[in-house]
Amino acid sequence: MICVAVANQKGGVGKTTSAINLATALAATGSRVLLIDLDPQGNCSTGFGIPHAERVRTSYEVVVTGAASIVDAALATKVPRLDLIAATVDLSGAEIEMIELADRTHRLAKALAEAPAGRWDICLIDCPPSLGLLTVNAMVAADSLLVPLQCEFFALEGLSQLLQTIDRIRSRFNPGLKMLGVVLTMYDRRNNLTEQVAQDVRAVLGEVVFRTVIPRNVRLSEAPSYGVPALIYDHRCPGSEAYIALAREVIGRLPRIAQAA
């Protein structure tokens, strides 16, 4: 199973929206997808319409207490071939609860290693907007990292901090961690600043940046309130079409998925 962490320590960059819709698009191509909500806000779970009453075994039990396995916690979603491990506010205390554990940085990696071979083709991890222990667990468990980056003035400042964290994770815990790519989000063609930021990011990072950009789109914002991904809410809206295009690029950068699809 290929594991991709969707991470950015800055909030409001479209990270959860990207995780939800990219997972949906990948499942639509035939891949068996596991999406792990590792954010205490649980927005990813809400985006799939999972009520709190059904969040009995969650990523908290998988990562923090070890009371549930990956298979036990996985919930089937409305999207065929897409399973979700939900999150609750219990995760908000994870940093304190795990600090004394000897394997605190490898809890998620160990849980994923115990998943049955062939159950899922790809795992996406929706990380919290911080560089704490939960995000470190995701990076240690992941093969690669996908970074949503909002097209705004301070975008590159936060990215440099994230890249430094990735280097530390590689040197200490996961030397095989790769950068899958940076995806530009909340792109507004009517705004000159947006285009300037996009050009600056591409000038600095080059081919690491995906060709596909995710536009500002009302449908992407509306979909979570209906408990479905935007690709189901309105598959013809510009936002949905952009995530379908992004999925194609992701598959192209993950040859093993391309071969299996």
Side-chain angles (χ1 to χ4, degrees):
M1 177 170 60
I2 299 170
C3 189
V4 178
V6 183
N8 190 325
Q9 81 277 11
K10 191 175 184 303
V13 299
K15 176 179 54 59
T16 297
T17 299
S18 295
I20 289 172
N21 290 291
L22 181 57
T24 302
L26 289 171
T29 68
S31 294
R32 294 161 297 179
V33 182
L34 174 66
L35 178 57
I36 300 177
D37 189 349
L38 211 57
D39 188 342
Q41 298 176 84
N43 290 338
C44 198
S45 308
T46 302
F48 278 98
I50 306 296
H52 286 273
E54 293 182 14
R55 303 181 198 182
V56 179
R57 297 185 181 92
T58 67
S59 52
Y60 175 79
E61 280 75 26
V62 172
V63 177
V64 182
T65 69
S69 69
I70 288 287
V71 173
D72 290 337
L75 298 172
T77 68
K78 300 171 185 175
V79 180
R81 295 179 297 277
L82 175 54
D83 294 333
L84 170 74
I85 294 181
T88 64
V89 72
D90 290 345
L91 273 180
S92 58
E95 306 286 327
I96 297 173
E97 293 182 57
M98 292 196 296
I99 197 66
E100 300 293 335
L101 301 176
D103 62 346
R104 58 185 175 273
T105 59
H106 288 72
R107 305 279 290 182
L108 181 57
K110 290 180 178 178
L112 284 170
E114 295 174 358
R119 176 70 178 268
W120 297 287
D121 300 311
I122 183 168
C123 170
L124 295 181
I125 308 170
D126 182 32
C127 300
S130 71
L131 295 177
L133 264 178
L134 290 174
T135 300
V136 169
N137 261 269
M139 291 186 182
V140 171
D143 302 299
S144 57
L145 192 68
L146 187 147
V147 180
L149 192 68
Q150 185 178 0
C151 291
E152 64 168 25
F153 184 71
F154 295 112
L156 286 175
E157 275 192 5
L159 182 62
S160 63
Q161 184 182 356
L162 180 62
L163 294 176
Q164 291 172 10
T165 300
I166 295 170
D167 287 338
R168 288 196 292 270
I169 296 295
R170 283 174 178 154
S171 61
R172 296 186 59 187
F173 305 118
N174 186 3
L177 181 64
K178 297 178 176 62
M179 176 66 82
L180 179 61
V182 173
V183 56
L184 298 173
T185 62
M186 303 182 186
Y187 186 88
D188 188 349
R189 297 184 186 279
R190 301 168 298 178
N191 189 327
N192 291 334
L193 178 60
T194 294
E195 181 60 31
Q196 185 60 54
V197 170
Q199 291 177 6
D200 290 346
V201 172
R202 293 187 189 279
V204 172
L205 298 177
E207 293 184 358
V208 171
V209 184
F210 288 102
R211 295 188 304 276
T212 301
V213 295
I214 309 301
R216 284 192 178 276
N217 183 231
V218 173
R219 294 303 212 187
L220 289 179
S221 302
E222 290 177 347
S225 65
Y226 291 89
V228 293
L231 271 73
I232 293 178
Y233 180 61
D234 183 355
H235 70 278
R236 293 184 177 179
C237 73
S240 294
E241 291 178 346
Y243 278 113
I244 292 170
L246 178 63
R248 293 193 191 102
E249 282 198 74
V250 168
I251 291 172
R253 296 189 184 192
L254 295 173
R256 283 179 290 174
I257 293 183
Q259 293 169 5

